[in-house]
Amino acid sequence: MVQDPQFPAPNEDNLLSRLRDWRAAREAEMHSDLFDEVVELPDPRALDLVLRVGELLLASGESTEVVSESMLSLSVAFDLPRSEVSVTFTAITLSTHPGGDHPPVTGERVVRRRTLDYFRVNELHALVQDAALGAVELEGAIARLRAIKRAHPPYPNWLIVTGFGLIASSASLMVGGQAIVAAAAFLATVLGDRASAFLARRGVAEFYQMTAATVVASSIGVALLWGSDRMELELQAGAVITGNIMALLPGRPLVASLQEGISGSYVSASARLLEVFLTLGAIIAGVGAVAYTAVRLGVNVNLDDLPTIGTDLGLPVLIGSAGIAMAFAVSLTVPPRMLPWIGAMGVMIWVIYAGVRSLVDAPPIVGTAAGAVAVGVAGHALARHTRRPVLPYVIPAIAPLLPGSILYRGLLEITLSQPVQGLLSLSEAVAIGLGLGAGVSFGGELVRAFQRGGLAGAGRRSRPAARRSRGAA
């Protein structure tokens, strides 16, 4: 692809701050009068490439706004005239109009399977950036896309499963569990994950996969609680269940639902929020069933001895916060070179949360929001500095504050005939989760307000969601 001298591509030094301006200038040319005499028929290979990149981005966990912007940037880079993109939770549509008497050419892809894979998201972002720079021809872009689809993640499957178990063991350390409890949490979560994978291979719906994973892990936690009580070991066995809940909580859909609602993608935002509540429903069903059965069988469940997240800043808690963030990143196949930053951000969100609660005696939701805003700012700043997508930074970093212990307490309170307290605890857990998502999103908006830029135009100028507001007038 030869770069148009009238609209030069941004250079390497300010790529992230000029991608949207570059695309806006090219779009002005490519959205010229439909009845111009010169008609350029779109290259079907370019149409297919743009659709497949968008499909893979959406299936790998990227937000609809970024998918739409990336597809539009590719459309401009590969000379698709007068392109319009529509991205929803499950479908992607691209339409381009050659002009003259030629009808529009429209293609669509449907996302039927979603797997969070931030390694692919990272590689696809690099492909979009290179295409926008004019550094890759159409044939080269097609070859790179095929290589990305065939590429193996940076971690073997056994390590990804291990990372999932380490989320639970790190979380159990954070809430006061001992080494035995952390090991039990690791084993329980891995076994639950394998049970879920077994059901997935047989076509069972994801809701029941999550429920089964929760039941398996909770049963091990209850068994440890029973054994600890009989042998007077005084183990924080409830930390096993808390760790498993935190490993299963839908942090990514929660953040994405709020981000997409703020950006104006209301249909996708509603769908993702429904996905969050269905996942919560599966966790509640699994833990609730096991807790009810345990109480009926006479297992000693004491609400006063439940694990709590507290505001401790001791070394084990800091190690646990870094561990849970990095383990979460491994389970999402985040590239290894990003793990130290994610670990540091996991410690940061916990220190801010505990500091705000201790210094001003604030409720958990306030500390959570403060920590999430800081992570949002740091994550977006790092993404711009390193020219990488923002989600691999912020999603794992919020893991230490996912409301696993509060959710577990609420379920036990309902089981022990304290429905009012239980509903209040569940409401608090939901509020904390929404606070995490809103805080991360607000942190990103703060960066946008004072620093233009972002992949495919995440800055102030020409942002579709901003145009719908009075502030863009």
Side-chain angles (χ1 to χ4, degrees), residues 167-168 171-172 174-175 214 218 238-251 254 280 283-284 287-288 306-310 324 328 350 353 364 368 398-413 422 425-426 428-433 436:
I167 297 173
S172 66
M174 287 189 65
V175 297
T214 308
S218 300
V240 174
I241 301 176
T242 298
N244 178 252
I245 291 174
M246 292 182 72
L248 294 175
L249 282 173
L254 179 64
L280 286 176
I283 294 172
I284 289 171
V287 175
L306 287 181
T308 179
I309 199 165
I324 189 174
F328 209 103
W350 176 256
Y353 166 84
T368 298
I398 65 171
L401 294 188
L402 290 173
S405 58
I406 300 175
L407 187 61
Y408 179 41
R409 172 176 287 276
L411 293 174
L412 284 182
E413 287 170 340
S425 295
L426 293 181
E428 183 182 7
V430 172
I432 288 175
L436 277 173

Side-chain angles (χ1 to χ4, degrees), residues 26-387:
R26 289 293 307 277
E27 281 183 326
E29 177 189 75
M30 299 182 71
H31 281 75
S32 56
D33 190 352
L34 286 173
F35 301 101
D36 288 345
E37 294 183 2
V38 178
V39 176
E40 296 181 4
L41 294 179
D43 190 330
R45 299 175 302 163
L47 276 166
D48 184 67
L49 172 72
V50 175
L51 283 168
R52 290 185 181 276
V53 167
E55 177 194 16
L56 195 55
L57 273 172
L58 189 61
S60 300
E62 189 54 274
S63 67
T64 57
E65 182 184 24
V66 174
V67 172
S68 177
E69 294 293 340
S70 299
M71 292 176 65
L72 285 172
S73 290
L74 286 175
S75 298
V76 173
F78 296 122
D79 300 322
L80 295 179
R82 307 173 188 89
S83 297
E84 296 292 344
V85 171
S86 175
V87 181
T88 65
F89 186 58
T90 57
I92 295 171
T93 303
L94 170 65
S95 180
T96 181
H97 201 309
D101 295 331
H102 293 273
V105 179
T106 302
E108 184 178 54
R109 302 285 298 182
V110 176
V111 176
R112 294 182 173 86
R113 183 173 180 270
R114 296 173 179 275
T115 303
L116 293 180
D117 188 341
Y118 287 149
F119 170 73
R120 282 183 174 176
V121 169
N122 187 69
E123 295 300 314
L124 290 167
H125 274 244
L127 172 58
V128 174
Q129 289 181 0
D130 288 346
L133 278 171
V136 58
E137 301 285 345
L138 178 58
E139 293 78 5
I142 294 172
R144 279 181 61 175
L145 177 61
R146 289 173 179 166
I148 291 171
K149 294 180 70 173
R150 291 194 303 263
H152 295 290
Y155 313 104
N157 288 334
W158 66 266
L159 185 57
I160 295 175
V161 174
T162 299
F164 195 65
L166 288 175
I167 297 173
S169 59
S170 299
S172 66
L173 286 175
M174 287 189 65
V175 297
Q178 302 91 335
I180 295 176
V181 175
F186 175 87
L187 177 63
T189 302
V190 170
L191 290 178
D193 177 70
R194 293 301 86 198
S196 175
F198 175 82
L199 294 176
R201 289 193 295 269
R202 280 149 183 80
V204 177
E206 188 175 7
F207 179 88
Y208 299 106
Q209 297 174 30
M210 296 285 291
T211 303
T214 308
V215 167
V216 170
S218 300
S219 299
I220 294 176
V222 167
L224 183 63
L225 177 63
W226 177 82
S228 174
D229 185 56
R230 286 302 182 104
M231 301 174 65
E232 298 182 355
L233 298 176
E234 297 183 357
L235 297 175
Q236 281 280 16
V240 174
I241 301 176
T242 298
N244 178 252
I245 291 174
M246 292 182 72
L248 294 175
L249 282 173
R252 164 66 189 120
L254 179 64
V255 173
S257 65
L258 293 170
Q259 285 180 332
E260 292 179 359
I262 290 170
S263 68
S265 303
Y266 302 119
V267 174
S268 296
S270 301
R272 290 190 187 276
L273 195 59
L274 180 59
E275 180 186 17
V276 169
F277 282 104
L278 283 175
T279 303
L280 286 176
I283 294 172
I284 289 171
V287 175
V290 172
Y292 178 83
T293 303
V295 170
R296 292 301 178 187
L297 292 176
V299 178
N300 183 24
V301 179
N302 189 348
L303 290 174
D304 295 332
D305 295 332
L306 287 181
T308 179
I309 199 165
T311 58
D312 188 12
L313 288 174
L315 184 60
V317 175
L318 296 181
I319 292 175
S321 61
I324 189 174
M326 296 173 70
F328 209 103
V330 170
S331 70
L332 296 175
T333 66
V334 173
R337 56 186 172 275
M338 300 171 68
L339 295 182
W341 290 108
I342 293 169
M345 291 169 66
V347 174
M348 180 187 72
I349 194 173
W350 176 256
V351 170
I352 293 175
Y353 166 84
V356 168
R357 289 198 61 192
S358 300
L359 292 176
V360 299
D361 196 24
I365 183 64
V366 175
T368 298
V373 170
V375 163
V377 170
H380 281 79
L382 276 172
R384 281 159 172 72
H385 177 71
T386 60
R387 298 174 184 170

